Amino acid sequence: WGACTVYGKRRIGTLLSSETSPITARFFSGGGTFHRGFGSRQLSPQLPVPNNNATPTNPLVGGIGTPQLNGTYVPVGGDGLWDSSIELRYKIIGPLTVAVFLDAGFVSVGSFDFRDVGPRMQYAIGFGFRYNTIVGPIRLDFAYRLNHGGPLSIISDPAHPVYAPAGSECFGIGTGST
């Protein structure tokens, strides 16, 4: 039987600019390397993109054909970032290790502000396996996003508004009107 090891990492970043930052310079998070509760680059402010040809079928979100369902959300990055992870690994036998982890983070529209750390933080817990080979480890992780923290920011496009009912959320994304 093996030993127990604790791993941790944190990224904090901010873009300081008097103008709107280009999307290629913005921060994104999510995926296997950073916040495992989100898909790759999906932990980010979102831009609603309307699609009038969409046929929404999920009655849990709103009535069929309501405007907030006719479209999709695209991650566009932000100017502030907090990403952290703590992982406990236990070597089971030979090259096989089991891990449990807690990931926390957010990406803000504006520059990083420590006041956002509590209310904006998104969390995920999970477990995984590591198998060490001669060319490097093979990793398999399973994460569950906790229902804690505010919704992801929505950057509205005034030329193409997408509405959500006041005081509601759509899969944890956006609240209020436009």
Side-chain angles (χ1 to χ4, degrees):
W1 291 86
C4 192
T5 310
V6 177
Y7 289 88
K9 64 181 177 181
R10 178 179 11 207
R11 296 187 311 159
I12 299 175
T14 192
L15 295 177
L16 302 174
S17 176
S18 59
E19 299 177 8
T20 302
S21 59
I23 196 166
T24 55
R26 295 181 193 158
F27 294 109
F28 293 83
S29 186
T33 308
F34 300 112
H35 198 300
R36 290 166 276 194
F38 288 84
S40 181
R41 299 173 59 91
Q42 296 296 307
L43 177 53
S44 160
Q46 306 284 310
L47 176 71
V49 179
N51 177 358
N52 294 331
N53 297 325
T55 308
T57 57
N58 189 340
L60 300 175
V61 182
I64 302 301
T66 54
Q68 77 271 14
L69 300 179
N70 289 334
T72 187
Y73 292 91
V74 177
V76 292
D79 289 352
L81 167 79
W82 172 289
D83 232 347
S84 58
S85 180
I86 189 161
E87 186 170 300
L88 180 65
R89 296 180 186 171
Y90 185 78
K91 191 169 187 172
I92 296 176
I93 189 165
L96 184 62
T97 302
V98 66
V100 293
F101 59 84
L102 170 67
D103 292 346
F106 69 90
V107 176
S108 58
V109 174
S111 297
F112 178 80
D113 187 342
F114 275 103
R115 290 176 290 198
D116 290 335
V117 171
R120 308 260 334 211
M121 196 68 72
Q122 300 287 329
Y123 296 93
I125 58 172
F127 69 96
F129 300 97
R130 316 288 183 260
Y131 187 82
N132 291 322
T133 69
I134 58 172
V135 294
I138 297 172
R139 189 175 88 178
L140 178 63
D141 288 329
F142 300 93
Y144 177 77
R145 192 173 348 159
L146 301 176
N147 188 15
H148 183 66
L152 298 177
S153 299
I154 300 293
I155 298 174
S156 21
D157 179 1
H160 302 92
V162 174
Y163 297 95
S168 69
E169 298 181 11
C170 178
F171 298 112
I173 299 174
T175 59
S177 59
T178 305

